Every structure is written in structure tokens, then in C-alpha cells.
Amino acid sequence: MTPMEERKKPNLIHSFIQYFYGNFVVLLLGFLSLPLITRMLDTDEYGRTSMFQSVVTVIYIFAILGMDQAYIRYFYKENIDRRSLLKKCITPALFIVFFLSLLYCVLAKHVNLFLFEKTGFDISLLVIVYTFLSVLERFFFLHIRMEQNGKLYSNMNILSKILYIVFLWGAFTILGNEFTVVLYAMTLSLGCTTGMIIIRYFYKEKRVEKKERQFYVPKKELMKYGMPFVMTALMEWLLSSCDKYSLRIFSTMSQVGIYASAMQIMVILLTFKATFVAFWAPIAMEKYEQKTKEDCSSFFQEVFSKVQFLSLLAAFSLILFKDVVVLLLGEKYRDAGYIIPFLVFMPILSILYEITSQGIKFKKKIRYYNYASAAAIVCNLGGNAILVPKFGALGAAMATGITYILYFAMGSYFSKKCYPVAYEYKKTMFYVALLVVYGLYASFFDNDVIGVLFGIGGMAVITVMERKNVKEIGDFVWKVAKGIRKE
């Protein structure tokens, strides 16, 4: 990298802010769209939208073949032909989604009745079109991420959410209380933004001169690296879907809807996760390829420490104010407040897992992801089988929280075997235990004085223990504020 390129490259915090501001605006727009949906749709209709996302995801996983991970892995290789890399990664996925769509068409009636308790040509068509668009969106949005173009990434996410709200309102005026309202809005908004980034990609590539000497990755090598991620992604899908299917089998579609609404409230923390994953994957891989082991370890420790502190504060705050947040949903969804405390483990431990598990990707030991996922799925299935019949949606949330604690612990352990970094895991487990106790109280009791004091006390303990991070984050915020005042 030349000195000029080094100067042009944004610093880490500035890069993260470019990614985050878009997702922050999307979060605000989500607070507008979620109450619209929960007031448009009954709990059972909203439950069906959650099942739609589940079936689309499993088709997408088999179609993508882990080639998105191969694209990330080889993007920064020296003199890589990125045009060839994208073509080799996306072509098999498009062929597979076509054949899987044909298979789905044959079984559509039976699959639709099980998942949605309804069937129809429009439902089947939306599943197929949305899956096809998801594959295209994954690779072309991934290209923007790998360019580290956080501004464009954020702007396109904002546009997608605005279009979603517009199409949502339009579909509701035509269809009324039907879950296909959300399906149409999701598909049309995704189609518009995906079309734009594809046009942008080809327009930009036409202006780039092809270098004489470039490195071409053999398709066999890409497949060899990517294929193990199919099992990993499938296990992650099972991990995130077992709760819905358990509720579908052991409970009612209404409980699925209440659970899904609580999951939507998680966008407060999932927004941080989505932002961080988009920002972190290329940064981590670039550091590994270009920096020394000592520099990487120090960098990863610092990022983990700060992200952990902010994530835990967000989790405690969300549980503390859960009763205020669920007011957004409307009267029919008030029980979602008791589900939130254990669902917070999913986004915060997923964020931390993205940092601690990088060693598995660096050393290409993808089977370790599968080991961690398999153990988590067994735990989740057992937890749901025991807790859902008795506690319904709350039982599913508790099973999910326990599962993600195990998932984080096992994945971090295997990653340490591949690429040791001195993370402070004992401190992390203490924080998690504190959050578990608070989550248990908040799940079974209203937010009384004891609950409020517990939440404030937990945040105070974490703040004192992380006073170094508090100071550094405070200094940075003060520096930014001074810069804004000068302008």
C-alpha cells in the first residue's frame, strides 16, 4: 500500500461510523414500520411472516454454497482478479437456486400448509423471487462491504427500509390483514435496491482497466473453502429457527407471532450486530493478511473489550426499559415484554462471537464452526422440547439465551486453538452470569423497584470494572464533539 493510499484510507472509528449511521437510521425507520405491522396484522398473521423468512433462508443456504465466505477470504489476495472471483462465486449459487426453486414448486402446497396454514400461487412465487434476489443481494452488497464503502452501504440500507415502508403501506391498502402484505413489501424493496447496486457494479467495472498479470483462484479451491460453510450456515439456521418450529408444533401460531414481535424489538441490538459484522469481516481479514501476529492480537483484544462493554450496557438498558419498548407493538403483543430478557443474549453474544471466532476462518478450520453449531443445536432442541410446552414463547426465549451462551463459549474455545488471543474470558463469563440473573428476574416479574435497582446496579458494576474503556470512549466522544463545534 502506497503512502498516498494509506492517507486516503479512513481510520477505524470513522469507517465504523460510516457503516453505523445507515443502520441507525434504519433502526429509527424500524420503529416506524414495526408498530405499523403489528397494528395491521393479528398475531397469527405476523407469525406466518416469520415462517416465510425461515423457509427462504434454508433455500438460500443451500444455494449460496458458502461461496460468499470464499469471496471474503480471497478478496484481499495480492493481484487477485476480483471480476473472475465474483463470477466464479455467484454462478453456481444462481444455478442451484433455480433447481431448488423447481423442487419447492413440486412440494409447495404441502410445505406452505405446514408453514403458513395457507397456500397459493402468490405465496410460492414470493418465496422463489425473494430467494433469488437474496442471492444476488448477498454478493453485490458483499462487494460494497469488501471495498469498505461504508457510506454507500449505509445509504442503500436506508433506501431499502424507506421503500419497504412505502410498499408495506401500499400492500396493506390493497390486501388488508394478510401476511402476504409483509412478503410483498420485503420482495419489492429488496428487488429495487439489489437492481441499483448491480447496475452500479457493472457501470463501475467497465471503467476499470484489466491488469496484465492477475491471480485467478481455481473454482475447485473456492468450492473446497466454501462448502464447509454450508453445514455451518445450515446449523446456524437450525439454531435460529428451532424456536419458531417448536412453537409451531407445541404451541400456536399466535405464540409464534408474539415471539417474532419480540425478536423484532431486538433490532436495537441486532442493528449493532449487522453494522459490526459488515464492518468487521473485511477489517479482520485485512489485518490478518497484512499485519504481524502481535499487532493483530493487540488490535483484536482492544476491539473485543470496547464492543463487549457497549453491548452489555445496551442489553441491560433494553431489559430495564422493555415495558416502555413494547408499547410500540400494541395491546395484542404486550406479552413480548417477558420474552425480551433472554433474547438479548442472541445479539450480544453473536457480536462478541464475530470477534473471538476469527481464528477459525484465518486457519480455514471450518469444521470447528460445525462442532460448536452442532452442540448448540442439541442444546436448543432439548431446551425447546422441555420449556416450550410449559412456558410457550418465554420458554423458547430461555432456550435461545442458554444456547447462545454455549455457542459463544465453544466457538471461542475452538478459535483459541487455531489462533490464540488473550481475551479476558473470565470477566466475560462474570458479566454473562450477572445478565442471566437479571434476565430471570425480569422474565417472571414486572419491572418493580427491585428490578429497576438490579438493572441500574448491574450497569454500575460493569461501568466500574470497565473504567478504562469508559475513559477512552469518553475522550473520543469529547474529541468528536469539539471537532463538530469548531466546524
Side-chain angles (χ1 to χ4, degrees):
M1 185 178 290
T2 66
M4 179 65 72
E5 288 171 330
E6 188 70 45
R7 286 196 297 272
K8 286 182 179 179
K9 193 169 183 178
N11 64 50
L12 201 62
I13 299 296
H14 183 262
S15 178
F16 180 77
I17 290 172
Q18 283 187 332
Y19 280 98
F20 179 70
Y21 90 83
N23 278 338
F24 180 73
V25 174
V26 168
L27 169 64
L28 296 179
L29 292 173
F31 274 119
L32 174 62
S33 64
L34 182 57
L36 281 176
I37 296 171
T38 54
R39 283 163 174 78
M40 289 175 182
L41 304 181
D42 294 333
T43 54
D44 52 350
E45 291 294 326
Y46 190 68
R48 293 183 178 99
T49 67
S50 179
M51 301 304 291
F52 168 82
Q53 291 173 312
S54 178
V55 70
V56 164
T57 302
V58 73
I59 298 173
Y60 163 85
I61 288 170
F62 282 111
I64 214 80
L65 283 178
M67 299 297 276
D68 55 337
Q69 298 299 322
Y71 189 67
I72 292 172
R73 181 65 184 84
Y74 290 95
F75 189 88
Y76 288 112
K77 282 289 185 181
E78 189 175 357
N79 293 324
I80 188 76
D81 184 341
R82 290 174 179 169
R83 295 178 188 174
S84 172
L85 180 64
L86 179 61
K87 184 178 178 181
K88 287 178 180 178
C89 288
I90 198 172
T91 303
L94 293 176
F95 276 113
I96 291 171
V97 78
F98 173 75
F99 287 112
L100 288 176
S101 296
L102 290 179
L103 179 62
Y104 170 72
C105 286
V106 174
L107 303 172
K109 181 178 179 180
H110 302 289
V111 173
N112 291 345
L113 287 174
F114 170 72
L115 292 172
F116 316 124
E117 299 177 339
K118 295 182 178 181
T119 190
F121 175 76
D122 58 338
I123 296 173
S124 302
L125 182 63
L126 286 165
V127 169
I128 293 169
V129 173
Y130 190 82
T131 307
F132 182 79
L133 290 172
S134 295
V135 171
L136 293 172
E137 185 264 356
R138 173 60 177 164
F139 283 101
F140 287 98
F141 253 99
L142 189 56
H143 182 78
I144 293 172
R145 283 173 50 193
M146 299 311 292
E147 290 178 325
Q148 299 184 33
N149 191 339
K151 188 174 182 181
L152 178 61
Y153 177 86
S154 292
N155 290 338
M156 294 307 298
N157 275 323
I158 293 170
L159 177 61
S160 179
K161 195 65 176 182
I162 292 172
L163 289 174
Y164 172 71
I165 294 172
V166 171
F167 288 130
L168 183 69
W169 183 257
F172 175 70
T173 58
I174 298 171
L175 300 173
N177 182 32
E178 282 286 335
F179 82 106
T180 50
V181 165
V182 178
L183 275 54
Y184 277 110
M186 290 169 58
T187 303
L188 291 171
S189 59
L190 183 66
C192 290
T193 51
T194 301
M196 290 178 187
I197 59 176
I198 290 174
I199 292 170
R200 178 250 181 197
Y201 172 82
F202 284 108
Y203 175 76
K204 186 177 178 182
E205 285 301 307
K206 280 185 178 180
R207 303 174 64 182
V208 176
E209 293 184 7
K210 193 170 182 179
K211 298 177 182 178
E212 290 183 7
R213 301 181 65 181
Q214 288 188 303
F215 174 64
Y216 294 87
V217 185
K219 186 176 289 186
K220 185 177 180 181
E221 185 175 341
L222 293 172
M223 296 285 286
K224 183 179 179 181
Y225 180 81
M227 284 296 287
F229 281 98
V230 175
M231 186 58 66
T232 301
L234 185 59
M235 288 185 173
E236 289 179 354
W237 171 80
L238 284 169
L239 187 57
S240 63
S241 301
C242 284
D243 44 15
K244 299 184 187 72
Y245 286 100
S246 296
L247 286 168
R248 177 72 183 88
I249 295 168
F250 296 118
S251 191
T252 64
M253 189 64 78
S254 179
Q255 284 286 295
V256 177
I258 292 171
Y259 184 82
S261 69
M263 288 291 287
Q264 285 301 307
I265 293 175
M266 289 298 103
V267 295
I268 296 174
L269 294 181
L270 288 171
T271 296
F272 285 96
K273 181 196 172 184
T275 305
F276 188 77
V277 170
F279 154 84
W280 177 249
I283 293 290
M285 192 59 67
E286 186 181 32
K287 288 284 182 183
Y288 175 73
E289 291 287 352
Q290 299 178 2
K291 302 294 182 180
T292 64
K293 174 68 167 62
E294 291 73 21
D295 288 341
C296 285
S297 294
S298 175
F299 173 73
F300 293 153
Q301 288 175 48
E302 183 180 356
V303 171
F304 178 81
S305 180
K306 288 179 172 54
V307 171
Q308 175 181 250
F309 169 64
L310 294 174
S311 297
L312 286 164
L313 283 187
F316 271 90
S317 299
L318 185 55
I319 297 174
L320 185 62
F321 294 104
K322 65 183 178 65
D323 293 332
V324 177
V325 175
V326 295
L327 291 175
L328 289 168
L329 301 177
E331 188 66 33
K332 295 175 289 187
Y333 293 83
R334 291 295 158 81
D335 286 345
Y338 296 102
I339 303 170
I340 288 174
F342 270 91
L343 288 183
V344 300
F345 288 96
M346 181 182 66
I348 67 165
L349 291 179
S350 294
I351 293 171
L352 299 182
Y353 185 81
E354 284 295 325
I355 303 173
T356 61
S357 68
Q358 286 298 314
I360 298 173
K361 290 184 181 179
F362 295 158
K363 300 302 181 181
K364 304 179 185 179
K365 304 289 186 180
I366 310 305
R367 66 179 184 277
Y368 287 138
Y369 279 126
N370 296 335
Y371 297 161
S373 298
I377 288 167
V378 171
C379 174
N380 195 248
L381 288 171
N384 278 301
I386 296 169
L387 297 171
V388 169
K390 186 173 183 179
F391 298 107
L394 173 57
M398 293 171 69
T400 297
I402 295 167
T403 298
Y404 270 88
I405 294 171
L406 175 66
Y407 187 52
F408 168 78
M410 289 198 66
S412 300
Y413 167 76
F414 287 128
S415 184
K416 188 176 181 180
K417 291 180 66 175
C418 298
Y419 191 82
V421 177
Y423 299 119
E424 296 183 273
Y425 286 121
K426 289 183 179 179
K427 186 185 288 188
T428 301
M429 288 298 104
F430 170 75
Y431 294 151
V432 169
L434 194 64
L435 191 59
V436 166
V437 176
Y438 183 39
L440 277 170
Y441 185 89
S443 294
F444 290 97
F445 300 97
D446 293 327
N447 243 353
D448 53 13
V449 175
I450 296 175
V452 172
L453 290 176
F454 201 136
I456 294 173
M459 288 190 286
V461 169
I462 293 170
T463 301
V464 171
M465 293 181 69
E466 297 294 331
R467 52 190 176 276
K468 180 183 176 184
N469 284 322
V470 173
K471 183 180 184 306
E472 291 177 356
I473 293 171
D475 290 343
F476 172 76
V477 172
W478 176 248
K479 183 178 178 181
V480 171
K482 285 176 67 177
I484 292 173
R485 280 208 304 263
K486 288 179 181 179
E487 293 178 2

